[in-house]
Amino acid sequence: MLAQVRQARILDEVRRSGGVRVADLTAILGVSDMTVRRDLEVLDRKGLLAKVHGGATAVETASAIEPDFEAKSVRELPEKEAIAERAATLVRPGMAIAITAGTTTWTLARHLANVADLTVVTNSLKVAEVLNHQQRRDLTVVLTGGLRTPSDGLVGPIAVQAIRSLRVDMVIMGVHGLDEHAGLTTPNLMEAETNRALVESARRLVVVADHTKWGVVGLAQIAPLRAVSTLITDDRLDPHAAAVLADQVGEVIIIPTPDDQTDAADHEENA
């Protein structure tokens, strides 16, 4: 099992129970306690959990603290892959779309290689890098410019001015948090302003967010839930959250958890 996959599973166990023991993790992951301890040290240094004697506990994330790209990139990898793959099916040849910064949207960018005659506006250095690496003549990438965030997004007045001069068919957005009352949020004030500009520039807002984003509230609101045309998430979402989203969001697409997948097309749910 790859280190990133192990670490993502460890984080999931910590979030689910509030704390884990090394002995339990060795049984769950099928690796040695030394391997588990090394993983815990890596995650502790990144601030994703607190390493304690014999195990680890969850840490509270302040509403104004934004994890960096590398820290977020180890979380919920199978879920992000499945969500990104489904989101890519919404993108049609000839579209002009916008893609925000984030690890799920970065994963999405890799699934757009076969969409012809595509124009992508993005404020993400990581997304632009993936798309430019494809070296396609029928792909136009517009990078907004601006101030760099910990998640490798470009924000601020320059980014906002560039975005407001454009109109796109769809914006695909990753978010820090989803909440029944707070809506879509981020810890970064300038990122919230930049993402609001992206929402205003698009005919359709598609949000890609795994189940762990529910109930997380950042400092600044991007948009209310009712502004979302389509939300793509995974089936580990809390049932109450699914009901709230079904009521407030235009369309909810729930992707089977990869570990349980036999035939994703047969099990995909639309609310």
Side-chain angles (χ1 to χ4, degrees):
M1 186 183 294
L2 295 174
Q4 284 191 330
V5 176
R6 286 198 312 272
Q7 291 164 16
R9 182 71 183 275
I10 289 170
L11 287 173
D12 196 44
E13 292 295 327
V14 169
R15 276 192 288 269
R16 182 182 297 115
S17 60
V20 291
R21 297 187 304 168
V22 170
D24 293 333
L25 290 173
T26 58
I28 292 169
L29 300 173
V31 296
S32 68
D33 62 350
M34 184 177 297
T35 298
V36 169
R37 292 179 194 280
R38 282 200 299 265
D39 286 337
L40 293 180
E41 288 172 1
V42 169
L43 295 170
D44 181 81
R45 286 197 300 270
K46 291 180 176 180
L48 299 176
L49 51 71
K51 188 173 180 291
V52 297
H53 181 70
T57 61
V59 294
E60 291 295 327
T61 303
S63 62
I65 295 177
E66 180 181 6
D68 64 23
F69 185 91
E70 295 303 323
K72 292 188 288 187
S73 69
V74 302
R75 303 176 183 176
E76 283 68 51
L77 298 180
E79 288 87 347
K80 289 177 180 177
E81 184 69 28
I83 290 167
E85 185 176 3
R86 180 62 177 87
T89 67
L90 303 179
V91 183
R92 306 298 183 193
M95 273 188 168
I97 67 170
I99 302 177
T100 69
T103 52
T104 307
T105 49
W106 169 69
T107 304
L108 162 73
R110 295 189 284 104
H111 289 279
L112 298 178
N114 296 322
V115 182
D117 300 317
L118 189 61
T119 298
V120 178
V121 177
T122 185
N123 69 323
S124 168
L125 294 166
K126 298 285 190 181
V127 167
E129 181 181 16
V130 169
L131 295 174
N132 284 323
H133 186 69
Q134 295 175 9
Q135 297 182 337
R136 292 166 45 196
R137 291 187 176 183
D138 66 339
L139 173 64
T140 300
V141 180
V142 180
L143 189 60
T144 63
L147 300 172
R148 189 172 184 168
T149 70
S151 58
D152 282 337
L154 299 174
V155 300
I158 293 173
V160 170
Q161 184 176 1
I163 292 164
R164 285 180 176 163
S165 68
L166 303 170
R167 291 293 180 268
V168 296
D169 298 304
M170 176 194 307
V171 56
I172 303 177
M173 179 176 293
V175 295
H176 175 77
L178 289 166
D179 182 77
E180 180 176 1
H181 305 291
L184 317 179
T185 62
T186 173
N188 189 308
L189 290 170
M190 287 195 290
E191 183 174 60
E193 182 183 18
T194 303
N195 282 355
R196 282 194 293 269
L198 284 166
V199 172
E200 292 166 4
S201 76
R203 296 178 184 175
R204 180 182 182 186
L205 170 58
V206 176
V207 173
V208 288
D210 66 73
H211 69 282
T212 65
K213 302 299 179 69
W214 180 256
V216 176
V217 178
L219 178 64
Q221 186 189 63
I222 300 166
L225 292 179
R226 294 192 183 279
V228 180
S229 306
T230 301
L231 171 72
I232 305 177
T233 187
D234 64 86
D235 66 355
R236 296 171 71 184
L237 184 70
D238 179 80
H240 170 72
V244 170
L245 290 167
D247 179 60
Q248 297 197 40
V249 171
E251 175 189 32
V252 179
I253 299 175
I254 299 179
I255 304 299
T257 302
D259 287 347
D260 300 330
Q261 278 184 320
T262 54
D263 183 349
D266 290 342
H267 292 84
E268 183 178 296
E269 300 173 24
N270 289 275

